[in-house]
Amino acid sequence: ILLSPIDAERWCASNPKDIIFRRLGTKTPYRHVQNKDVRNIATVNGCTVSKVWGLFRHGTRNPSKSIIDHMRTTLPELQRDIVENGQMCRDQLELFERWRPCVTTEEAKLLVREGGDELFHLGQRIRRRFGSHIPERYNRNEFRFKFTKTERAEYSARNFSRGFFGRDEPIEYPEALHHDPVLRFYKACEKWKKQVKKNPYSYREVDRFGGSKEMRSVIEKLSKRIGTFVSPEEVHAIYQTCAFETAWSERGISPWCTLFDKESISTMEYNEDLKYYWIDGYGYELTYRQACSAFSDLFTNFESDSGPRFTFYFTHSGTLLKSIAFLNLYKDNVPLTAENYRHKRKWHVSHIDAFGSNLYFVLYNCPNGTHSLALYHQERLIHIPGCPDNDGPFCSYKHFKQLYADRIQQCDLNAMCYEPHHVPTSEKDEL
């Protein structure tokens, strides 16, 4: 259906950078959420750094094959409609005239240069914050770097370590696993896959929001600006392309972002928040309960006299979000539903799970023989839920351990993730 010029006012995106800032869901570039403050935190209240344990999402990557297919087939057709019939300002039309898809399906999910830079600078900043309390050179007894069996996680780890040490160090990386019980525990959790990820009922709120007046408004606005009717699937492809192309380069934003106004992009962001809330967040208890596997590793490490002092794990969005929910971070008083889009919420994946997102704990030795714990998210010190408010953002390690004692003690992934008649005996069985 072609829309004539009288059906739509000409759309001019006044400041598209402000419109899309921190509204690109899990594809938000890390530069939108990073903390550039590198003040030394090696000594706090007389306590000095003893150990660090952290989870780091890989940096900015290429899209999945399905999105690349849309970028190479669906979007060029819409591009022609925009150039011929689009109701947009001249300078924005010129951006579309010059646009070309620049990624192939063979490059799906690979780390891009911006992603490498994100992790390199992150490594530099963490080094500066802890200063002389971190050894200058790599030592296998002091450090543990590990990544999942993916190119994007591996090269995120390598770029981080290069920034962290200021040079290429001969680092010994443990064998990367497809189903890593610490870095990607959910990949082998059959019950979670069946009951949550592949369960149509898990997507009911996203589906309901897809039929809401807010989403219908987004489709209507984009159809007018493009000059032809667009489907919900096409709108999703436009939003994803807007996000990826913007994340790839800090010099500009994708032309596809200029189709959105603030209300439209906020609606698309909420659609993302709903999806990740129900699949990777608080929607189902099993989703975050299984993260006990990662935190068992934290407690083992912090209580070992012989283990590495600095542990850095390079992983994925699914691990970060489930870990965030395990810790009760950014939990809203009521579940996210299709109806409460207008409610103020804490669960914004654009803020909490951008590319390069990180969650790391610092264990401090204190003068009185006790241990204090600090939690950093996106390089910012945050309060640990369940810890006393009067201690500020710091928490007694003893208190923190008590908070999680039951969940760690009962952390049996086989019992949690498999029906009694099917407990895998090998990784081959899991595959």
Side-chain angles (χ1 to χ4, degrees):
I1 304 169
L2 284 178
L3 301 167
S4 67
I6 58 169
D7 289 324
E9 294 179 12
R10 195 166 288 277
W11 164 246
C12 294
S14 55
N15 197 339
K17 278 192 177 182
D18 287 348
I19 288 169
I20 65 164
F21 183 70
R22 291 197 188 183
R23 293 190 178 94
L24 300 177
T26 60
K27 312 309 181 291
T28 296
Y30 189 64
R31 62 182 178 271
H32 286 187
V33 300
Q34 69 185 12
N35 179 16
K36 292 183 178 179
D37 184 350
V38 290
R39 276 178 288 189
N40 193 296
I41 54 171
T43 304
V44 180
N45 300 333
C47 305
T48 55
V49 170
S50 170
K51 292 191 174 187
V52 178
W53 183 98
L55 299 169
F56 296 79
R57 186 186 173 197
H58 59 77
T60 295
R61 61 165 172 82
N62 281 330
S64 62
K65 287 183 179 179
S66 62
I67 295 298
I68 293 173
D69 282 339
H70 276 299
M71 292 171 82
R72 299 188 68 83
T73 57
T74 308
L75 266 56
E77 293 177 10
L78 293 177
Q79 177 191 25
R80 283 192 290 274
D81 288 321
I82 291 169
V83 172
E84 292 173 11
N85 306 301
Q87 297 300 305
M88 302 183 72
C89 286
R90 182 66 240 165
D91 56 344
Q92 286 159 10
L93 286 173
E94 287 172 0
L95 292 176
F96 280 104
E97 286 170 356
R98 295 196 298 269
W99 179 83
R100 297 291 181 276
C102 59
V103 61
T104 64
T105 52
E106 290 74 29
E107 299 166 307
K109 293 194 174 183
L110 298 182
L111 193 75
V112 299
R113 177 176 291 182
E114 177 69 12
D117 288 346
E118 285 167 341
L119 272 294
F120 177 84
H121 294 303
L122 179 56
Q124 281 187 325
R125 288 193 299 274
I126 289 179
R127 154 73 63 178
R128 289 177 67 184
R129 288 191 188 104
F130 296 113
S132 60
H133 284 72
I134 299 180
E136 284 190 24
R137 303 299 297 260
Y138 170 77
N139 179 321
R140 61 181 298 186
N141 298 318
E142 294 271 15
F143 294 97
R144 180 174 172 84
F145 292 86
K146 194 178 186 190
F147 47 79
T148 64
K149 203 164 188 173
T150 61
E151 184 268 359
R152 57 194 181 278
E154 176 179 347
Y155 284 95
S156 291
R158 294 185 185 279
N159 278 282
F160 177 92
S161 64
R162 192 177 295 125
F164 188 79
F165 290 110
R167 62 176 78 82
D168 280 314
E169 289 278 277
I171 293 168
E172 296 180 30
Y173 294 101
E175 180 189 358
L177 305 172
H178 279 295
H179 293 165
D180 193 304
V182 175
L183 276 67
R184 225 177 180 188
F185 41 84
Y186 53 96
K187 280 291 181 179
C189 190
E190 291 304 320
K191 195 181 284 187
W192 174 76
K193 288 180 191 175
K194 182 180 176 182
Q195 294 182 1
V196 181
K197 189 169 175 67
K198 295 178 181 177
N199 181 359
Y201 191 70
S202 302
Y203 298 86
R204 71 194 184 283
E205 295 300 331
V206 176
D207 294 340
R208 288 174 64 224
F209 191 64
S212 68
K213 68 176 189 299
E214 288 87 2
M215 285 299 285
R216 290 198 303 272
S217 174
V218 173
I219 293 168
E220 186 181 324
K221 286 175 182 176
L222 264 63
S223 296
K224 286 180 178 178
R225 288 162 194 170
I226 290 171
T228 188
F229 177 77
V230 288
S231 68
E233 188 180 25
E234 288 169 333
V235 170
H236 177 72
I238 291 168
Y239 177 67
Q240 292 292 312
T241 303
C242 156
F244 275 107
E245 291 188 343
T246 299
W248 288 340
S249 172
E250 61 183 323
R251 289 188 297 275
I253 67 165
S254 167
W256 297 97
C257 296
T258 65
L259 291 166
F260 295 100
D261 56 25
K262 189 174 179 179
E263 178 66 20
S264 297
I265 203 95
S266 297
T267 301
M268 297 303 294
E269 182 199 14
Y270 189 69
N271 195 58
E272 289 270 289
D273 288 345
L274 272 179
K275 173 187 169 185
Y276 288 101
Y277 179 91
W278 288 98
I279 301 303
D280 286 325
Y282 289 106
Y284 297 91
E285 187 185 358
L286 174 60
T287 300
Y288 54 87
R289 249 183 74 211
Q290 58 182 317
C292 65
S293 180
F295 289 95
S296 294
D297 184 87
L298 177 147
F299 285 110
T300 300
N301 176 266
F302 279 1
E303 292 175 21
S304 167
D305 294 327
S306 58
R309 291 179 57 216
F310 304 98
T311 301
F312 300 106
Y313 290 138
F314 297 86
T315 180
H316 304 266
S317 169
T319 304
L320 264 294
L321 287 174
K322 293 173 185 70
S323 298
I324 282 169
F326 182 84
L327 294 167
N328 265 325
L329 294 167
Y330 311 106
K331 187 174 186 179
D332 293 287
N333 293 329
V334 294
L336 266 62
T337 65
E339 287 82 20
N340 59 15
Y341 164 56
R342 301 288 172 189
H343 295 190
K344 191 174 181 181
R345 67 189 185 279
K346 298 173 186 175
W347 184 266
H348 282 272
V349 292
S350 301
H351 299 205
I352 65 177
D353 188 39
F355 283 127
S357 285
N358 47 84
L359 196 68
Y360 55 91
F361 288 85
V362 182
L363 184 67
Y364 288 90
N365 283 339
C366 300
N368 57 2
T370 61
H371 292 88
S372 215
L373 196 67
L375 172 59
Y376 291 82
H377 179 226
Q378 315 298 42
E379 306 175 76
R380 292 177 182 84
L381 183 60
I382 61 171
H383 180 261
I384 300 172
C387 289
D389 291 331
N390 56 3
D391 290 344
F394 294 91
C395 186
S396 148
Y397 177 71
K398 185 178 179 182
H399 182 91
F400 179 75
K401 186 180 176 183
Q402 287 171 346
L403 282 176
Y404 292 93
D406 289 346
R407 279 190 277 175
I408 297 301
Q409 198 173 350
Q410 296 161 16
C411 188
D412 181 344
L413 283 192
N414 281 338
M416 206 180 292
C417 291
Y418 294 93
E419 306 297 342
H421 62 273
H422 178 69
V423 176
T425 56
S426 67
E427 182 160 323
K428 184 179 179 183
D429 190 14
E430 291 172 2
L431 289 168

